[in-house]
Coordinates of all heavy atoms in Angstrom, one line a residue:
M1 N 0.8 -1.2 0.0 CA 0.0 0.0 0.0 C 0.9 1.2 0.0 O 1.8 1.4 0.8 CB -0.9 0.0 1.2 CG -1.8 1.1 1.4 SD -3.0 0.7 2.7 CE -3.1 2.2 3.4
S2 N 0.6 2.2 -0.9 CA 1.5 3.4 -0.9 C 0.7 4.5 -0.3 O -0.5 4.6 -0.3 CB 1.9 3.7 -2.4 OG 0.8 4.4 -3.0
R3 N 1.5 5.5 0.2 CA 1.0 6.6 0.9 C 1.0 7.8 -0.1 O 2.0 8.0 -0.8 CB 1.8 7.0 2.1 CG 1.5 6.1 3.2 CD 2.2 6.8 4.5 NE 2.1 5.8 5.5 CZ 1.0 5.8 6.3 NH1 0.0 6.7 6.1 NH2 0.9 4.9 7.2
S4 N 0.1 8.7 0.0 CA 0.2 9.9 -0.8 C 1.1 10.9 0.0 O 1.3 10.8 1.2 CB -1.2 10.6 -0.9 OG -1.7 11.0 0.3
P5 N 1.7 11.8 -0.7 CA 2.6 12.7 -0.1 C 2.0 13.5 1.1 O 2.7 13.9 2.0 CB 3.1 13.6 -1.2 CG 2.8 12.9 -2.4 CD 1.6 12.0 -2.1
S6 N 0.7 13.8 1.0 CA 0.1 14.6 2.1 C -0.3 13.8 3.3 O -0.7 14.4 4.3 CB -1.1 15.3 1.5 OG -2.1 14.3 1.1
T7 N -0.2 12.5 3.2 CA -0.6 11.7 4.4 C 0.6 11.5 5.3 O 1.6 11.0 4.9 CB -1.1 10.3 3.9 OG1 -2.1 10.4 3.0 CG2 -1.5 9.4 5.1
P8 N 0.5 12.0 6.5 CA 1.7 11.8 7.5 C 1.9 10.4 7.8 O 1.0 9.5 7.8 CB 1.3 12.6 8.7 CG -0.2 12.7 8.7 CD -0.6 12.6 7.2
D9 N 3.2 10.0 7.9 CA 3.6 8.7 8.3 C 3.4 8.6 9.8 O 4.0 9.4 10.6 CB 5.1 8.5 8.0 CG 5.6 7.1 8.3 OD1 4.8 6.3 8.8 OD2 6.8 6.8 8.0
P10 N 2.6 7.6 10.2 CA 2.3 7.5 11.7 C 3.5 7.2 12.5 O 3.5 7.4 13.7 CB 1.3 6.4 11.8 CG 1.4 5.6 10.5 CD 1.9 6.6 9.5
D11 N 4.6 6.7 11.9 CA 5.8 6.4 12.6 C 6.8 7.6 12.8 O 7.7 7.5 13.6 CB 6.6 5.2 11.9 CG 5.8 3.9 11.9 OD1 5.0 3.7 12.9 OD2 5.9 3.2 11.0
D12 N 6.5 8.7 12.1 CA 7.5 9.8 12.2 C 7.1 10.8 13.3 O 7.9 11.7 13.5 CB 7.7 10.5 10.9 CG 6.5 11.3 10.5 OD1 5.5 11.4 11.2 OD2 6.5 11.9 9.4
G13 N 6.0 10.6 14.0 CA 5.7 11.5 15.1 C 5.0 12.7 14.7 O 4.5 13.5 15.6
S14 N 4.8 13.0 13.4 CA 4.3 14.3 13.0 C 2.8 14.4 13.4 O 2.3 15.4 13.7 CB 4.4 14.5 11.5 OG 3.8 13.5 10.8
A15 N 2.0 13.3 13.3 CA 0.6 13.3 13.7 C 0.5 13.7 15.2 O -0.4 14.5 15.5 CB 0.0 11.9 13.4
A16 N 1.3 13.1 16.0 CA 1.2 13.4 17.4 C 1.6 14.9 17.7 O 1.0 15.6 18.5 CB 2.1 12.5 18.2
D17 N 2.6 15.4 17.0 CA 3.0 16.8 17.1 C 1.8 17.7 16.8 O 1.6 18.7 17.4 CB 4.2 17.1 16.2 CG 5.4 16.4 16.7 OD1 5.5 15.9 17.9 OD2 6.4 16.3 15.9
E18 N 1.1 17.4 15.7 CA 0.0 18.3 15.3 C -1.1 18.3 16.4 O -1.7 19.3 16.6 CB -0.6 17.8 14.0 CG 0.2 18.0 12.8 CD 0.4 19.5 12.5 OE1 -0.6 20.3 12.6 OE2 1.5 19.9 12.2
K19 N -1.3 17.2 17.1 CA -2.3 17.2 18.1 C -1.9 17.9 19.3 O -2.8 18.4 20.1 CB -2.7 15.7 18.5 CG -3.4 15.0 17.3 CD -3.7 13.6 17.8 CE -4.4 12.8 16.6 NZ -4.6 11.5 17.0
M20 N -0.6 18.1 19.5 CA -0.1 18.8 20.7 C 0.2 20.3 20.5 O 0.8 20.9 21.3 CB 1.1 18.1 21.2 CG 0.9 16.7 21.7 SD -0.3 16.6 23.1 CE 0.7 17.3 24.3
A21 N -0.2 20.8 19.3 CA 0.1 22.2 19.0 C -1.0 23.1 19.4 O -2.2 22.8 19.4 CB 0.4 22.3 17.5
L22 N -0.6 24.3 19.8 CA -1.6 25.4 20.1 C -1.4 26.5 19.0 O -0.3 26.7 18.5 CB -1.4 26.0 21.5 CG -1.6 25.2 22.7 CD1 -1.3 26.0 24.0 CD2 -3.1 24.8 22.8
F23 N -2.5 27.2 18.7 CA -2.5 28.2 17.7 C -3.1 29.5 18.3 O -4.0 29.4 19.0 CB -3.3 27.8 16.5 CG -2.8 26.6 15.8 CD1 -3.3 25.3 16.2 CD2 -2.0 26.7 14.8 CE1 -2.9 24.2 15.6 CE2 -1.5 25.5 14.1 CZ -2.0 24.2 14.6
C24 N -2.4 30.6 17.9 CA -3.0 31.9 18.3 C -3.9 32.4 17.2 O -3.5 32.5 16.1 CB -1.9 32.9 18.6 SG -2.5 34.6 19.0
R25 N -5.2 32.6 17.6 CA -6.1 33.1 16.6 C -5.9 34.5 16.1 O -6.2 35.0 15.0 CB -7.5 33.0 17.1 CG -8.0 31.6 17.3 CD -9.4 31.6 17.8 NE -9.8 30.2 18.1 CZ -11.0 29.9 18.4 NH1 -12.0 30.8 18.5 NH2 -11.3 28.6 18.7
S26 N -5.2 35.3 17.0 CA -4.9 36.7 16.6 C -3.8 36.9 15.7 O -3.9 37.7 14.7 CB -4.6 37.5 17.9 OG -5.8 37.5 18.7
C27 N -2.6 36.2 15.9 CA -1.5 36.5 15.1 C -1.0 35.3 14.3 O -0.1 35.4 13.5 CB -0.3 37.1 16.0 SG 0.4 35.8 17.1
G28 N -1.6 34.1 14.6 CA -1.1 32.9 13.9 C 0.1 32.2 14.5 O 0.5 31.2 13.9
H29 N 0.6 32.6 15.6 CA 1.7 31.9 16.2 C 1.3 30.5 16.5 O 0.2 30.2 16.9 CB 2.1 32.6 17.5 CG 3.3 32.0 18.2 ND1 4.5 32.2 17.8 CD2 3.3 31.1 19.3 CE1 5.4 31.5 18.6 NE2 4.6 30.9 19.5
R30 N 2.2 29.6 16.3 CA 2.0 28.1 16.5 C 3.2 27.5 17.2 O 4.3 27.8 16.8 CB 1.8 27.5 15.1 CG 1.6 26.0 15.2 CD 1.4 25.4 13.8 NE 1.3 23.9 14.0 CZ 2.2 23.1 13.5 NH1 3.3 23.6 12.9 NH2 2.1 21.8 13.7
S31 N 2.9 26.7 18.2 CA 4.0 26.1 18.9 C 3.4 24.9 19.7 O 2.2 24.8 19.9 CB 4.6 27.0 19.9 OG 5.7 26.4 20.6
S32 N 4.2 23.9 20.0 CA 3.8 22.8 20.7 C 3.3 23.2 22.1 O 3.6 24.3 22.6 CB 4.9 21.7 20.9 OG 6.0 22.2 21.6
L33 N 2.5 22.3 22.8 CA 2.0 22.7 24.1 C 3.1 23.0 25.1 O 2.9 24.0 25.9 CB 1.2 21.5 24.6 CG 0.4 21.7 25.9 CD1 -0.6 22.8 25.8 CD2 -0.3 20.4 26.3
D34 N 4.2 22.4 25.0 CA 5.3 22.7 25.9 C 6.3 23.6 25.2 O 7.5 23.7 25.6 CB 6.0 21.4 26.4 CG 6.6 20.6 25.3 OD1 6.4 20.9 24.1 OD2 7.3 19.6 25.6
G35 N 5.9 24.3 24.2 CA 6.8 25.2 23.5 C 7.0 26.6 24.2 O 7.2 26.6 25.4
D36 N 7.0 27.7 23.5 CA 7.3 29.0 24.0 C 6.2 29.8 24.6 O 6.3 31.0 24.8 CB 8.1 29.8 22.9 CG 7.2 30.0 21.7 OD1 6.2 29.4 21.6 OD2 7.7 30.8 20.8
W37 N 5.1 29.2 24.8 CA 3.9 29.9 25.4 C 4.2 30.4 26.8 O 5.0 29.8 27.5 CB 2.7 29.0 25.5 CG 2.3 28.4 24.1 CD1 2.6 27.2 23.7 CD2 1.7 29.1 23.1 NE1 2.1 27.1 22.4 CE2 1.6 28.2 22.0 CE3 1.2 30.4 22.9 CZ2 0.9 28.6 20.8 CZ3 0.6 30.7 21.7 CH2 0.4 29.8 20.7
L38 N 3.7 31.5 27.1 CA 3.8 32.1 28.5 C 2.7 31.6 29.4 O 1.6 31.7 29.0 CB 3.8 33.6 28.4 CG 4.8 34.3 27.4 CD1 4.5 35.8 27.3 CD2 6.2 34.0 27.8
V39 N 3.1 31.1 30.5 CA 2.1 30.6 31.5 C 2.0 31.6 32.7 O 3.1 31.8 33.3 CB 2.5 29.2 32.0 CG1 1.4 28.6 33.0 CG2 2.6 28.2 30.8
R40 N 0.9 32.1 32.9 CA 0.6 33.0 34.0 C -0.3 32.3 35.0 O -1.4 32.0 34.7 CB -0.1 34.3 33.5 CG 0.7 35.0 32.4 CD 1.9 35.7 32.9 NE 2.4 36.5 31.8 CZ 3.7 36.5 31.4 NH1 4.5 35.7 32.0 NH2 4.1 37.3 30.5
E41 N 0.3 32.1 36.2 CA -0.5 31.4 37.3 C -0.9 32.4 38.3 O -0.2 33.4 38.6 CB 0.3 30.4 37.9 CG 0.7 29.2 37.0 CD 1.5 28.1 37.7 OE1 1.0 27.6 38.7 OE2 2.6 27.8 37.2
G42 N -2.1 32.2 38.8 CA -2.7 33.1 39.8 C -3.5 32.3 40.8 O -3.8 31.0 40.6
S43 N -4.1 32.9 41.8 CA -4.9 32.2 42.7 C -6.2 31.7 42.2 O -6.8 30.8 42.7 CB -5.1 33.1 44.0 OG -5.9 34.2 43.6
D44 N -6.6 32.3 41.0 CA -7.9 31.9 40.4 C -7.7 30.9 39.3 O -8.7 30.5 38.7 CB -8.7 33.2 39.9 CG -7.9 33.9 38.9 OD1 -6.6 33.7 38.8 OD2 -8.5 34.7 38.1
G45 N -6.5 30.6 38.9 CA -6.3 29.6 37.8 C -5.0 30.0 37.1 O -4.1 30.6 37.6
Y46 N -5.0 29.5 35.8 CA -3.8 29.9 35.0 C -4.2 30.3 33.6 O -5.3 30.0 33.2 CB -2.8 28.7 35.0 CG -3.2 27.5 34.2 CD1 -2.9 27.4 32.8 CD2 -3.9 26.5 34.8 CE1 -3.3 26.3 32.1 CE2 -4.3 25.4 34.0 CZ -4.0 25.3 32.7 OH -4.4 24.2 31.9
R47 N -3.3 31.0 32.9 CA -3.6 31.4 31.6 C -2.3 31.1 30.7 O -1.2 31.3 31.2 CB -3.8 32.9 31.5 CG -5.2 33.3 32.1 CD -5.3 34.8 32.4 NE -6.5 35.0 33.2 CZ -6.7 34.8 34.5 NH1 -5.7 34.2 35.2 NH2 -7.8 35.0 35.0
I48 N -2.6 30.6 29.5 CA -1.5 30.4 28.5 C -1.6 31.6 27.6 O -2.7 31.8 27.0 CB -1.6 29.1 27.8 CG1 -1.4 28.0 28.9 CG2 -0.5 29.0 26.8 CD1 -1.6 26.6 28.3
V49 N -0.5 32.3 27.4 CA -0.5 33.6 26.6 C 0.4 33.5 25.4 O 1.5 32.9 25.6 CB -0.1 34.7 27.6 CG1 0.0 36.1 26.8 CG2 -1.0 34.8 28.8
C50 N 0.1 34.0 24.3 CA 0.9 34.1 23.1 C 2.1 35.0 23.4 O 2.0 36.1 23.8 CB 0.1 34.6 22.0 SG 1.1 34.7 20.4
P51 N 3.3 34.4 23.1 CA 4.5 35.2 23.3 C 4.7 36.3 22.3 O 5.5 37.3 22.5 CB 5.7 34.2 23.3 CG 5.1 33.2 22.3 CD 3.6 33.1 22.7
D52 N 4.0 36.3 21.2 CA 4.1 37.3 20.1 C 3.2 38.5 20.3 O 3.6 39.6 20.2 CB 3.9 36.7 18.8 CG 5.0 35.7 18.3 OD1 6.1 35.8 18.9 OD2 4.8 34.9 17.4
C53 N 1.9 38.2 20.6 CA 1.0 39.3 20.7 C 0.3 39.5 22.0 O -0.4 40.5 22.2 CB -0.1 39.1 19.6 SG -1.2 37.7 19.8
G54 N 0.5 38.5 23.0 CA -0.1 38.7 24.3 C -1.6 38.2 24.4 O -2.2 38.4 25.5
T55 N -2.1 37.6 23.4 CA -3.5 37.1 23.4 C -3.5 35.9 24.4 O -2.7 35.0 24.3 CB -3.9 36.7 22.0 OG1 -3.9 37.8 21.2 CG2 -5.3 36.0 22.1
V56 N -4.6 35.8 25.2 CA -4.8 34.7 26.1 C -5.3 33.5 25.2 O -6.4 33.7 24.6 CB -5.7 35.0 27.2 CG1 -6.0 33.8 28.1 CG2 -5.1 36.1 28.1
I57 N -4.6 32.4 25.2 CA -5.0 31.3 24.4 C -5.8 30.3 25.3 O -6.8 29.8 24.8 CB -3.7 30.5 23.9 CG1 -2.8 31.5 23.1 CG2 -4.1 29.3 23.1 CD1 -3.4 32.1 21.9
V58 N -5.4 30.1 26.5 CA -6.2 29.2 27.4 C -6.4 30.0 28.7 O -5.4 30.6 29.2 CB -5.4 28.0 27.7 CG1 -6.1 27.1 28.8 CG2 -5.2 27.1 26.5
D59 N -7.6 30.0 29.2 CA -7.9 30.6 30.5 C -8.6 29.6 31.4 O -9.8 29.3 31.2 CB -8.8 31.8 30.3 CG -9.0 32.7 31.6 OD1 -8.4 32.3 32.6 OD2 -9.7 33.7 31.5
Q60 N -7.8 28.9 32.2 CA -8.3 27.8 33.0 C -8.5 28.1 34.5 O -7.5 28.3 35.2 CB -7.4 26.6 32.9 CG -7.8 25.3 33.6 CD -9.1 24.8 33.0 OE1 -9.3 24.7 31.8 NE2 -10.1 24.5 33.8
P61 N -9.7 28.2 34.9 CA -10.0 28.5 36.4 C -9.6 27.3 37.2 O -9.6 26.1 36.8 CB -11.4 28.9 36.5 CG -12.0 28.1 35.3 CD -11.0 28.1 34.2
V62 N -9.3 27.6 38.5 CA -9.1 26.5 39.4 C -10.4 26.5 40.4 O -10.7 27.5 40.9 CB -7.8 26.7 40.3 CG1 -7.7 25.7 41.4 CG2 -6.6 26.7 39.4
F63 N -11.0 25.3 40.5 CA -12.2 25.2 41.3 C -11.8 24.7 42.6 O -11.0 23.9 42.8 CB -13.2 24.2 40.6 CG -13.6 24.7 39.2 CD1 -13.0 24.1 38.1 CD2 -14.5 25.7 39.0 CE1 -13.4 24.6 36.8 CE2 -14.9 26.2 37.8 CZ -14.3 25.6 36.6
G64 N -12.6 25.3 43.6 CA -12.3 24.9 45.0 C -12.8 23.5 45.2 O -13.5 22.9 44.4
A65 N -12.4 22.9 46.4 CA -12.8 21.5 46.7 C -14.3 21.5 46.9 O -14.9 22.4 47.4 CB -12.0 21.1 48.0
L66 N -14.8 20.4 46.5 CA -16.3 20.2 46.7 C -16.6 19.8 48.1 O -15.9 19.0 48.7 CB -16.8 19.0 45.7 CG -16.6 19.3 44.3 CD1 -17.0 18.1 43.5 CD2 -17.4 20.5 43.8
A67 N -17.6 20.4 48.6 CA -18.0 20.2 50.0 C -18.9 19.0 50.2 O -19.6 18.7 49.4 CB -18.6 21.4 50.7

């Protein structure tokens, strides 16, 4: 079975890399999840920020313990 040039080889890791990438909708910056994104932590949660334009990519609150 032959592969077309546009089909990623599952053994080369590129498919996994694509799934782990974040994209900035404002400026188009792209990097892996553990790439050059800025992580801002606070008492209310954390934010992942684009290093190029400062857009918040992820805004994740931290929830208190359930009573």
Side-chain angles (χ1 to χ4, degrees):
M1 179 168 144
S2 84
R3 285 189 184 276
S4 69
S6 63
T7 304
D9 182 356
D11 295 329
D12 72 0
S14 62
D17 292 342
E18 286 296 317
K19 291 180 182 179
M20 296 298 293
L22 292 177
F23 300 87
C24 178
R25 292 182 185 188
S26 296
C27 72
H29 181 80
R30 175 178 178 248
S31 185
S32 64
L33 184 59
D34 61 353
D36 59 351
W37 302 103
L38 306 174
V39 179
R40 306 286 189 230
E41 295 183 52
S43 60
D44 61 340
Y46 71 91
R47 289 162 188 79
I48 298 177
V49 179
C50 177
D52 289 344
C53 70
T55 298
V56 175
I57 305 301
V58 176
D59 189 359
Q60 182 64 49
V62 173
F63 300 102
L66 297 175

